[in-house]
Amino acid sequence: MRISSGPSERGPDMEVIPGVRWGKPEWVPSAAYWAAMSAIAEDGDDFVCTEATLKEQVGFCLLGGFGITAEMNHAIFERLEGEGVFRANYVPVASEIERLLLTPVNVDGRPRRYRFPHQRSTRLASAMRILEQDPPSSDDPRTFRNELMKIPGIGPKTASWIARNWLGSDEVAILDVHIIRAGILIGLFDRKQTVPKDYDVMEARFLAFAAALNVRPSLLDAVMWREMRTLGRGSV
């Protein structure tokens, strides 16, 4: 793939990739804006963490997702981790996990209840059993992701999230709602595209966009996630 010309050579109307114009750094959001935000990002802003076990990675990702804030995700994960739910050579039962999810957890100094305790406890118990008995091969990031998607409750976004964290891979993209919204605003994605149906096509576009900006996908999607979450739905 030919990398597009550098930022200094681009005019606002020049396409970074087909359908996505460069814009200006002060245009929020635009390709130029995302390039500028990525350029000033600090080490660790990509959120990649390869220190946790695979069980912990899967557990954290299954506890998050739609309807769960990042703050709740971290708080409830720490509770389950502290109770040994993700320890090696152990398969928890769903009722044990559900009990831990039903008890309010402290989030930002206030007790809050976790949503979907029954659904997530069932999924977590199943996932921990599969990982204990037949863990996926980590030789190839995409194969690893595909094998993870055989676990109930894990779709392409969650599987990509786990693959990114566990393998530190830039061969996948985490297309959550914030990334998709940002992509629609700049013409990277079509409003008619949906996940998981169009995940592969949208991911290929995102990876091409990252390459054109000369930014690691792991950093770009993390920066976009952080900024879109901060800006809020009504700000752009």
Side-chain angles (χ1 to χ4, degrees):
M1 177 184 298
R2 180 181 180 275
I3 302 299
S4 298
S5 54
S8 61
E9 303 172 20
R10 291 173 174 149
D13 291 328
M14 179 178 289
E15 288 191 331
V16 180
I17 63 172
V20 180
R21 294 183 177 181
W22 175 243
K24 295 182 179 181
E26 60 268 28
W27 294 356
V28 184
S30 67
Y33 174 79
W34 295 123
M37 296 304 296
S38 298
I40 63 174
E42 300 177 353
D43 291 341
D45 281 355
D46 57 8
F47 303 125
V48 173
C49 174
T50 58
E51 298 175 357
T53 68
L54 181 56
K55 280 187 174 183
E56 290 169 340
Q57 299 281 8
V58 171
F60 181 82
C61 292
L62 275 177
L63 286 167
F66 177 77
I68 307 297
T69 66
E71 293 77 12
M72 171 59 82
N73 197 174
H74 282 277
I76 201 68
F77 169 80
E78 288 174 3
R79 168 181 286 171
L80 268 60
E81 181 186 36
E83 293 291 332
V85 170
F86 309 119
R87 67 182 183 269
N89 304 313
Y90 176 70
V91 178
V93 296
S95 58
E96 172 193 357
I97 300 173
E98 185 172 16
R99 175 180 59 82
L100 295 170
L101 296 182
L102 283 170
T103 306
V105 65
N106 189 295
V107 178
D108 295 332
R110 299 177 59 186
R112 296 188 181 277
R113 292 187 177 277
Y114 180 79
R115 298 181 68 183
F116 322 121
H118 179 71
Q119 178 203 67
R120 300 300 169 86
S121 61
T122 301
R123 290 179 176 178
L124 275 170
S126 177
M128 294 304 105
R129 184 182 68 254
I130 292 171
L131 293 177
E132 188 69 37
Q133 298 173 353
D134 187 24
S137 170
S138 58
D139 292 339
D140 174 77
R142 291 181 176 275
T143 300
F144 178 76
R145 178 175 67 180
N146 291 341
E147 291 186 17
L148 283 173
M149 288 169 59
K150 297 176 183 178
I151 298 175
I154 295 184
K157 188 211 80 173
T158 302
S160 298
W161 189 5
I162 297 166
R164 167 71 55 73
N165 284 344
W166 179 244
L167 303 177
S169 174
D170 273 318
E171 295 183 34
V172 298
I174 307 171
L175 303 182
D176 90 329
V177 62
H178 300 295
I179 311 302
I180 293 172
R181 185 159 61 93
I184 289 173
L185 288 170
I186 64 174
L188 182 61
F189 305 134
D190 190 296
R191 291 185 181 275
K192 295 180 181 179
Q193 292 176 318
T194 60
V195 295
K197 181 174 69 71
D198 300 308
Y199 201 95
D200 289 346
V201 174
M202 296 169 73
E203 179 181 58
R205 285 273 290 177
F206 182 89
L207 295 177
F209 179 56
L213 296 187
N214 199 26
V215 177
R216 288 182 293 110
S218 55
L219 179 60
L220 181 60
D221 61 27
V223 167
M224 293 174 79
W225 176 86
R226 181 192 65 198
E227 293 300 312
M228 293 301 291
R229 185 170 179 258
T230 301
L231 289 168
R233 186 174 295 274
S235 300
V236 291

